[in-house]
Amino acid sequence: MKTIDYHMHTCFSGDSEANPREHVLQAIKMNLDEICFTDHRDFDYPIDSFELDVENYYQTIQSLKEEFKDKIKIKWGIEIGLDLDHKEEINQLIAQYPFDFVIGSIHVIHHTEFYYGEFFKNKSKEQAHQEFFEETLKCVQEFDCFNVLGHLDYIVRYGPYQDKSVDHQKYQDIIDEIFKTLIKKGKGIEVNTSGYRDLKTCGFPNFEQVQRYYDIGGRIITVGTDSHTSDRVGENCLTVVKKLKEIGFNDVSTFTLQVKDLMTID
């Protein structure tokens, strides 16, 4: 199986100062087969007004792709914040540029975000998690402009609760519908290795949910670190790949111009 990092942020994202060239050098050091840059674009982040400079971002990654073409395969992508209040703008942006790969993530729900805690005000943990998964289902039903759903358990990172963990059994019917919708649409999920930092034991989503996705019929899957600093590029990617093979996956998925590349069966 290939070892990839398909979720990386650089200085083109508002929450990173990383030099993309340093990401490439670290990926080579980690013996990765392929990487994809996926800097942020959210149309309604209530506190931060940063807007991705797509043209400069594209030219920078294309230059790196040429420079390192004999050492590592580099792809150009984006992490788009799926937001039902901005469906037209999101679809227009993705259609406008030749992205290799698009992560669709839920960062904002009805003008409230998770990072600074606005979303969690006056909600119990169960109410917050229920709303998060319900909104995720609505987004994967409504949007077609992405390749994989980003960090399904993203909600775990935040919230003013002593125990932030998700009791998946309470929401399994919704999560199963998310998986079934993705599979029907020919889309997949990612395993986001930042979960090892936050949960200490696994990625987002956890491997029980990845197994469930596989058992339902899901075969499109990527691995990404969600790295915002170069030292985290490739972190735990090999560990995840080994676990995916145990679950039954033949290979991770890679993309060119949003079309899934032919997979190598090991």
Side-chain angles (χ1 to χ4, degrees):
M1 293 180 75
K2 295 184 292 293
T3 306
I4 66 173
D5 190 342
Y6 252 53
H7 193 149
M8 307 190 307
H9 298 288
T10 73
C11 56
F12 290 103
S13 289
D15 55 358
S16 174
E17 297 179 357
N19 183 331
R21 193 172 191 277
E22 294 300 317
H23 275 20
V24 176
L25 293 174
Q26 178 67 10
I28 293 170
K29 182 179 178 181
M30 296 289 288
N31 294 315
L32 300 185
D33 297 301
E34 187 168 330
I35 58 175
C36 185
F37 290 91
T38 56
D39 278 307
H40 284 294
R41 181 63 169 106
D42 281 88
F43 280 88
D44 183 13
Y45 211 71
I47 294 178
D48 295 331
S49 58
F50 184 87
E51 183 173 340
L52 176 64
D53 182 352
V54 183
E55 292 289 349
N56 192 13
Y57 173 42
Y58 174 73
Q59 294 299 331
T60 299
I61 303 309
Q62 294 309 302
S63 177
L64 290 171
K65 183 176 181 179
E66 177 63 24
E67 179 183 356
F68 291 98
K69 63 183 179 182
D70 296 328
K71 295 184 178 179
I72 190 169
K73 188 174 288 188
I74 299 174
K75 300 292 181 63
W76 182 60
I78 190 170
E79 181 181 13
I80 192 75
L82 300 180
D83 187 337
L84 293 172
D85 294 323
H86 295 274
K87 186 175 179 180
E88 183 177 352
E89 301 101 301
I90 290 168
N91 285 329
Q92 286 178 349
L93 174 66
I94 301 305
Q96 187 177 356
Y97 295 97
F99 297 110
D100 287 311
F101 176 64
V102 178
I103 300 172
S105 296
I106 315 300
H107 296 138
V108 173
I109 297 178
H110 302 311
H111 312 290
T112 60
E113 44 63 45
F114 311 125
Y115 186 86
Y116 296 99
E118 181 68 23
F119 172 75
F120 299 98
K121 288 184 178 179
N122 302 315
K123 291 186 180 79
S124 68
K125 185 176 81 166
E126 288 73 21
Q127 289 172 327
H129 289 183
Q130 177 89 14
E131 185 175 349
F132 172 76
F133 288 118
E134 287 177 347
E135 188 70 12
T136 300
L137 176 58
K138 290 177 186 176
C139 284
V140 300
Q141 289 171 335
E142 289 293 323
F143 284 98
D144 293 309
C145 62
F146 67 98
N147 299 115
V148 303
L149 176 67
H151 43 51
L152 177 63
D153 284 353
Y154 178 76
I155 196 76
V156 171
R157 289 184 185 171
Y158 309 110
Y161 317 116
Q162 186 173 359
D163 177 9
K164 292 182 172 66
S165 64
V166 174
D167 183 352
H168 291 91
Q169 289 187 343
K170 292 182 178 179
Y171 321 104
Q172 196 64 60
D173 288 348
I174 305 172
I175 296 171
D176 285 353
E177 283 304 310
I178 292 170
F179 290 156
K180 290 174 184 177
T181 302
L182 292 169
I183 293 166
K184 183 178 180 180
K185 288 189 168 192
K187 303 186 185 303
I189 64 171
E190 72 163 3
V191 177
N192 188 302
T193 71
S194 68
Y196 283 91
R197 179 190 63 216
D198 298 331
L199 301 177
K200 311 303 181 188
T201 57
C202 61
F204 296 142
N206 65 34
F207 289 118
E208 288 78 10
Q209 291 303 310
V210 176
Q211 181 73 63
R212 193 167 184 90
Y213 167 72
Y214 181 86
D215 291 343
I216 290 172
R219 295 297 183 271
I220 298 175
I221 196 161
T222 61
V223 181
T225 57
D226 210 344
S227 53
H228 289 69
T229 57
S230 298
D231 61 306
R232 302 195 81 97
V233 170
E235 189 174 61
N236 290 305
C237 288
L238 182 58
T239 300
V240 171
V241 164
K242 290 178 178 178
K243 185 64 179 179
L244 293 180
K245 197 165 188 177
E246 291 176 12
I247 288 172
F249 289 94
N250 290 322
D251 207 345
V252 293
S253 301
T254 54
F255 294 80
T256 302
L257 296 177
Q258 296 185 58
V259 176
K260 187 164 71 71
D261 299 326
L262 292 176
M263 297 171 69
T264 301
I265 299 177
D266 293 339

